[in-house]
C-alpha cells in the first residue's frame, strides 16, 4: 500500500496529465490503475528516488509538444528536485509562488516555450537552485536583483526574451547567458546602465588620456633612441623605421582598448601585461610587443563565434573557467576558455598568455588569441577534435573507444618531446608543473598537445620574475615525475598514485615484469611485451622518490626515441634542435 507521501506524488502526476494537452500521446502509459509500489517509475519522463517507491525525483517532459499553462500540480510531488518542460508549447505567466510549488528544486528548465509576463521574484526563495533556464520564451520586465542571493546557483540562461534593466551581480563561478535581450545592461558582458554613464565617461576619459600620454611617450622615446643609435639613416632603412613607428601607433590603440574599460589600476595593468616584453630597448622591444599584439581578439568576435557563449556550445568546465566551442567567420573551429573570475586567476591568465603567445611547438596547444575587455578574460585555442587524453584512458561505460598501442606510444613520445623542448631548448626554460592526462589534448591524428600553463614556472636559477616568484632548476624534476605518472597511465590505465594505493609500487618498479597483471587489457596480446617493459622501466625511473635520482626530460625523450626507432613506423620526425641537444 502506498504511503501518504507517495500518494501525493501519484496525485501530482494525475494533475499534470489532466492539465496539459498531449497531442502526441506521450502520456498513454501513465496508467494509474496499478497500485503497486514503484509503478509510476515506469511512466514516460518520470524518474524516481527508488524504483520500488512511488516518489518522483525528476520529471523530464522535454520536446513532447505539450500545450497548456505551467502545471501547478507539481506542488504535490513531495520531494521532486528536477523539472524539465523545455521545447514544448506551454504559455501564460510563470506562477508567482514557485518556491511553494517546488520547495526542493535544484534544476529547472522551461526554455523553448511561450511563457509571458515577468520573472517571479519568488524564484529567489528556491534556495536549492543550481540551474535555471528560462531562455527562448516571451518574458519581459526586469530580472529580480534578489537572484544574486541564490548562493547555490551555477548556471542560468535568460537569453532570447524581451528583458530590460540591470542584471543581478552574481558571485563568481556563475555561468550566465543574456543574449538577445537588447534592453539589459550592467554586469560583465553588457553595456553600462544609464545611471553609470557619467562615471564611466569620466573614468574612461581619464584613462584614455593616460593611455594616449603613455603612447606618445613611447613613440617619442623610440624615435629618439632610434635616431641616436643610427645617426645617418640610409634611405633604404626609412621604410623599416616607418613600419615600426606604425606598429607603435597600433600599440597605442591596443593600450587604449585594454585600459579604457579596465577596472584595475593602469600602472598594475600595464606592468603585468607589458613587463615580460619590455626587457630590452630599441626595435627588439617593439617587435616583441607586436608579437603579442598580433594575438589579440575582440570580445565581440568571440561572442559571435560562440553564439554569445551559449550553453549548447559549452564543451567543458575546469578550475579557471568554462570552455566553449566556436567558429570564426572563415570557418575555423576554435576552443574558447572564459575565465570565471579575472581577479582570482590573474597570474594564471598572464602566464598562459605570455608563454603561449611567445612559444610555438608541435606538441604545445596553439593559442590563436586572447581577449581583455572590462572584467572579461578569454583565451582562444585551436580546437582539438579528439579532446583530452583522460577521455580515452577512462571512457564512460556508454562509450566504446579504444586507444591502440601505436597511438599510446606516439602520445607518450609527443609529450616527452614537448617537455624536453620546454625544459632544454626555449630560452627561459619552462616547467609546466601540472602535467596530467587531463591537460593533454589530442588532434585529429592523435598528436598530443600540452595545455594549461597557468601553474608554469621559468627555470632561471635564483631569478625573481615580475610576479614575485623565484624559480629553481630542480623544479624540472616535478615535470619528470608527472610525466612518469602519465606514462604509467597510458600503459596500465592508472596513475602512479592510484597504483600506489593498490600495489606495492617498490616491488613493481624493481621488476617491471611484475606489472603484467596491471597492464591495460587493450595493450596485452599484441606481441609488444618487450617494448611495454622498456617503457615501464623509463616510467619507474621518472617516479623515483628522490628528485636527484630522476632523469632529465631530455634523457627521457632520448631513451623513448630509441625505443621508437626500433619500430618500422619511426619516421624521423624529431627536430634538429633536440637531436643536437
Amino acid at each position: 500500500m502506498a504511503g501518504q507521501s507517495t500518494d501525493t506524488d501519484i496525485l501530482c502526476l494525475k494533475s499534470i496529465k489532466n492539465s496539459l494537452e498531449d497531442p502526441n500521446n506521450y502520456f498513454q502509459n501513465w496508467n494509474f490503475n496499478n497500485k503497486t509500489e514503484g509503478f509510476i517509475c515506469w511512466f514516460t519522463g518520470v524518474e524516481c528516488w527508488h524504483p520500488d517507491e512511488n516518489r518522483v525525483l525528476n520529471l523530464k517532459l522535454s520536446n513532447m509538444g505539450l500545450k497548456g499553462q505551467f502545471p501547478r500540480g507539481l506542488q504535490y510531488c513531495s520531494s521532486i528536485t528536477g523539472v524539465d518542460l523545455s521545447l514544448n508549447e506551454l504559455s501564460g505567466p510563470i506562477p508567482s509562488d514557485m518556491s511553494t510549488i517546488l520547495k526542493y528544486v535544484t534544476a529547472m528548465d522551461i526554455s523553448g516555450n511561450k511563457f509571458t509576463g515577468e520573472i517571479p521574484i519568488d524564484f529567489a526563495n528556491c534556495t536549492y537552485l543550481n540551474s535555471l533556464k528560462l531562455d527562448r520564451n516571451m518574458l519581459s520586465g526586469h530580472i529580480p536583483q534578489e537572484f544574486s542571493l541564490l548562493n547555490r546557483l551555477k548556471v542560468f540562461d535568460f537569453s532570447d526574451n524581451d528583458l530590460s534593466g540591470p542584471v543581478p551581480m552574481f558571485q563568481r563561478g556563475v555561468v550566465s547567458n543574456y543574449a538577445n535581450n537588447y534592453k539589459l545592461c550592467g554586469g560583465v558582458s553588457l553595456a553600462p546602465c544609464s545611471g553609470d554613464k557619467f562615471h564611466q565617461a569620466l573614468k574612461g576619459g581619464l584613462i584614455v588620456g593616460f593611455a594616449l600620454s603613455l603612447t606618445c611617450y613611447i613613440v617619442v622615446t623610440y624615435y629618439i633612441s632610434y635616431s641616436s643609435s643610427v645617426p645617418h639613416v640610409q634611405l633604404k632603412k626609412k621604410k623599416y623605421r616607418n613600419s615600426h613607428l606604425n606598429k607603435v601607433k597600433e600599440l597605442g590603440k591596443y593600450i587604449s582598448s585594454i585600459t579604457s574599460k579596465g577596472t584595475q589600476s593602469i600602472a598594475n595593468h600595464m606592468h603585468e601585461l607589458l613587463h615580460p616584453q619590455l626587457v630590452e630597448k630599441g626595435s627588439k622591444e617593439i617587435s616583441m610587443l607586436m608579437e603579442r599584439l598580433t594575438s589579440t581578439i575582440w570580445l565581440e568576435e568571440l561572442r559571435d563565434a560562440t553564439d554569445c557563449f551559449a550553453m549548447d556550445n559549452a564543451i567543458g568546465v575546469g578550475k579557471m573557467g568554462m570552455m566553449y566551442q566556436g567558429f570564426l567567420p572563415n570557418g575555423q573551429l576554435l576552443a574558447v576558455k572564459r575565465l570565471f573570475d579575472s581577479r582570482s586567476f590573474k597570474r594564471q591568465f598572464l602566464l598562459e598568455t605570455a608563454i603561449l603567445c611567445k612559444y610555438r611547438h608541435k606538441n604545445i596547444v596553439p593559442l590563436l588569441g586572447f581577449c581583455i575587455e572590462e572584467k572579461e578574460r578569454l583565451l582562444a585555442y585551436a580546437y582539438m577534435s579528439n579532446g583530452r587524453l583522460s577521455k580515452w584512458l577512462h571512457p564512460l561505460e556508454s562509450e566504446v573507444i579504444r586507444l591502440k598501442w601505436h597511438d599510446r606510444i606516439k602520445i607518450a613520445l609527443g609529450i616527452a618531446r614537448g617537455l624536453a623542448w620546454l625544459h632544454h631548448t626555449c630560452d627561459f626554460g619552462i616547467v609546466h608543473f601540472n602535467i596530467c592526462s587531463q591537460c593533454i589534448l589530442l588532434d585529429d591524428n592523435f598528436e598530443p598537445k600540452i595545455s594549461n600553463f597557468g601553474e608554469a614556472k621559468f627555470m632561471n636559477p635564483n631569478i625573481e620574475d615580475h610576479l614575485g616568484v623565484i624559480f629553481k632548476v630542480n623544479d624540472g624534476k616535478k615535470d619528470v615525475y608527472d610525466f612518469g605518472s602519465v606514462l604509467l597511465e597510458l600503459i596500465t590505465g592508472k596513475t602512479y598514485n592510484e597504483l600506489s594505493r593498490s600495489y606495492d609500487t617498490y616491488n613493481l618498479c624493481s621488476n617491471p615484469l611484475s606489472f603484467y597483471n596491471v597492464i591495460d587489457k587493450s595493450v596485452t596480446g599484441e606481441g609488444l611485451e618487450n617494448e611495454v617493459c622498456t617503457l615501464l622501466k623509463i616510467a619507474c625511473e621518472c617516479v623515483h622518490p628522490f628528485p636527484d635520482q630522476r632523469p632529465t626530460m631530455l634523457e627521457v625523450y632520448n631513451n623513448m626515441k630509441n625505443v621508437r626507432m626500433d619500430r618500422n613506423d619511426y619516421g624521423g620526425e624529431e627536430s634538429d634542435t633536440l637531436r643536437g641537444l
Side-chain angles (χ1 to χ4, degrees):
M1 183 70 182
Q4 182 178 358
S5 62
T6 56
D7 280 344
T8 62
D9 285 48
I10 295 172
L11 175 62
C12 168
L13 297 182
K14 284 183 178 179
S15 174
I16 293 172
K17 182 178 180 180
N18 293 332
S19 65
L20 297 177
E21 295 181 41
D22 178 26
N24 300 313
N25 295 319
Y26 283 102
F27 291 157
Q28 63 182 351
N29 73 334
W30 284 30
N31 183 359
F32 296 96
N33 294 326
N34 191 334
K35 298 299 181 182
T36 60
E37 279 291 350
F39 76 94
I40 67 172
C41 304
W42 298 97
F43 288 1
T44 300
V46 176
E47 293 181 357
C48 295
W49 284 87
H50 191 276
D52 296 328
E53 184 179 13
N54 290 326
R55 198 154 60 102
V56 179
L57 172 64
N58 295 311
L59 189 64
K60 298 182 177 181
L61 306 179
S62 177
N63 199 21
M64 292 184 175
L66 303 176
K67 299 179 181 180
Q69 296 193 349
F70 188 92
R72 293 190 61 87
L74 282 167
Q75 63 186 308
Y76 301 117
C77 286
S78 56
S79 49
I80 190 171
T81 63
V83 176
D84 185 357
L85 301 173
S86 61
L87 302 175
N88 285 295
E89 297 184 42
L90 304 179
S91 57
I94 300 174
S96 59
D97 55 342
M98 193 60 72
S99 65
T100 303
I101 298 174
L102 298 169
K103 295 180 181 179
Y104 306 109
V105 65
T106 61
M108 183 173 180
D109 187 352
I110 57 174
S111 61
N113 282 285
K114 300 177 181 179
F115 288 111
T116 56
E118 297 188 351
I119 299 174
I121 191 174
D122 191 56
F123 265 124
N125 294 320
C126 297
T127 54
Y128 297 100
L129 262 180
N130 283 265
S131 174
L132 178 61
K133 297 182 180 180
L134 307 179
D135 53 292
R136 290 170 290 168
N137 281 287
M138 295 182 285
L139 301 172
S140 58
H142 298 315
I143 302 175
Q145 295 296 312
E146 288 79 2
F147 276 29
S148 61
L149 302 176
L150 293 170
N151 53 21
R152 288 186 173 92
L153 191 64
K154 298 299 180 186
V155 176
F156 74 94
D157 192 342
F158 294 163
S159 61
D160 296 290
N161 282 287
D162 189 26
L163 301 172
S164 58
V167 299
M169 295 299 294
F170 289 98
Q171 60 183 351
R172 68 181 184 183
V174 178
V175 179
S176 59
N177 189 356
Y178 302 113
N180 300 324
N181 288 280
Y182 301 107
K183 301 175 186 176
L184 287 177
C185 61
V188 174
S189 58
L190 301 173
C193 298
S194 57
D196 298 330
K197 285 184 178 178
F198 173 76
H199 298 286
Q200 291 287 337
L202 178 61
K203 181 179 177 182
L206 291 173
I207 294 174
V208 170
F210 176 87
L212 291 175
S213 300
L214 179 61
T215 304
C216 292
Y217 172 78
I218 294 175
V219 172
V220 173
T221 303
Y222 176 71
Y223 185 86
I224 294 174
S225 63
Y226 186 92
S227 301
S228 60
S229 61
V230 188
H232 301 289
V233 181
Q234 298 177 9
L235 183 60
K236 65 180 180 180
K237 293 185 178 180
K238 184 176 181 180
K239 182 177 180 181
Y240 175 79
R241 182 187 66 183
N242 290 338
S243 173
H244 276 282
L245 289 177
N246 289 334
K247 289 182 178 181
V248 175
K249 294 175 185 177
E250 291 297 320
L251 174 62
K253 294 178 183 178
Y254 172 57
I255 295 172
S256 299
S257 70
I258 64 173
T259 56
S260 61
K261 299 179 182 178
T263 56
Q264 303 178 23
S265 72
I266 300 305
N268 289 339
H269 207 42
M270 293 297 298
H271 174 72
E272 292 166 352
L273 283 176
L274 302 182
H275 181 86
Q277 282 75 28
L278 292 175
V279 292
E280 296 181 15
K281 296 181 180 179
S283 60
K284 184 177 180 181
E285 175 184 29
I286 301 300
S287 63
M288 291 178 72
L289 281 168
M290 292 310 300
E291 182 179 352
R292 169 68 60 85
L293 181 58
T294 57
S295 295
T296 57
I297 297 181
W298 301 116
L299 179 59
E300 184 177 354
E301 293 178 279
L302 296 179
R303 280 188 184 140
D304 292 341
T306 59
D307 194 16
C308 292
F309 305 107
M311 289 304 298
D312 290 343
N313 289 326
I315 56 176
V317 61
K319 172 183 164 185
M320 289 175 58
M322 181 75 76
M323 189 71 77
Y324 298 87
Q325 174 183 299
F327 291 89
L328 292 176
N330 62 4
Q332 182 176 2
L333 194 60
L334 73 160
V336 180
K337 182 190 290 184
R338 189 185 192 191
L339 269 62
F340 289 138
D341 186 347
S342 58
R343 292 172 298 178
S344 299
F345 300 107
K346 178 171 60 176
R347 182 178 183 277
Q348 288 89 337
F349 177 82
L350 292 171
L351 273 171
E352 183 107 352
T353 307
I355 291 172
L356 294 182
C357 277
K358 180 174 176 60
Y359 299 109
R360 305 282 177 172
H361 187 268
K362 68 177 294 183
N363 296 117
I364 296 177
V365 63
L367 181 69
L368 302 180
F370 67 95
C371 174
I372 302 173
E373 288 192 36
E374 297 180 345
K375 294 182 180 179
E376 290 279 11
R377 299 292 183 273
L378 301 105
L379 295 160
Y381 308 89
Y383 183 79
M384 298 293 137
S385 59
N386 278 315
R388 300 175 187 271
L389 173 60
S390 57
K391 180 191 77 170
W392 291 86
L393 297 180
H394 310 284
L396 300 175
E397 293 182 1
S398 59
E399 295 177 323
V400 183
I401 55 177
R402 180 175 179 266
L403 203 56
K404 296 181 179 179
W405 176 249
H406 168 83
D407 293 322
R408 294 180 189 235
I409 194 171
K410 176 180 180 179
I411 291 167
L413 186 64
I415 300 170
R417 183 193 303 117
L419 289 175
W421 186 84
L422 287 169
H423 287 197
H424 302 281
T425 304
C426 67
D427 47 7
F428 283 110
I430 297 170
V431 184
H432 187 279
F433 255 84
N434 190 32
I435 291 295
C436 59
S437 59
Q438 286 84 5
C439 73
I440 304 299
L441 304 177
L442 304 175
D443 68 8
D444 295 347
N445 301 314
F446 288 93
E447 188 67 49
K449 311 287 183 180
I450 302 171
S451 68
N452 294 356
F453 283 82
E455 304 297 330
K457 291 185 178 181
F458 298 93
M459 288 196 296
N460 290 2
N462 304 320
I463 292 179
E464 185 171 351
D465 80 333
H466 73 289
L467 296 175
V469 181
I470 297 178
F471 307 133
K472 300 178 181 178
V473 174
N474 285 339
D475 289 339
K477 295 302 178 74
K478 171 65 166 60
D479 278 359
V480 175
Y481 178 94
D482 291 341
F483 172 78
S485 181
V486 172
L487 185 54
L488 288 172
E489 194 174 357
L490 281 163
I491 298 171
T492 68
K494 297 180 179 180
T495 65
Y496 181 68
N497 290 334
E498 290 173 330
L499 290 170
S500 300
R501 290 192 289 266
S502 304
Y503 303 93
D504 185 346
T505 50
Y506 177 78
N507 290 332
L508 288 176
C509 284
S510 61
N511 180 19
L513 291 175
S514 60
F515 267 99
Y516 185 81
N517 291 330
V518 296
I519 293 176
D520 194 314
K521 300 307 179 200
S522 63
V523 174
T524 57
E526 295 189 14
L528 302 167
E529 285 76 11
N530 290 336
E531 195 169 282
V532 173
C533 220
T534 303
L535 292 182
L536 282 171
K537 182 180 178 182
I538 294 174
C540 289
E541 292 173 351
C542 292
V543 296
H544 196 285
F546 298 105
D548 291 342
Q549 300 298 314
R550 298 171 195 160
T552 65
M553 275 313 307
L554 186 59
E555 291 170 336
V556 171
Y557 169 70
N558 284 329
N559 290 336
M560 291 188 63
K561 186 176 66 172
N562 292 333
V563 173
R564 185 83 182 274
M565 288 178 69
D566 293 335
R567 296 174 57 86
N568 293 330
D569 60 354
Y570 177 73
E573 68 215 2
E574 320 313 331
S575 68
D576 292 336
T577 305
L578 283 176
R579 275 204 295 269
L581 286 172

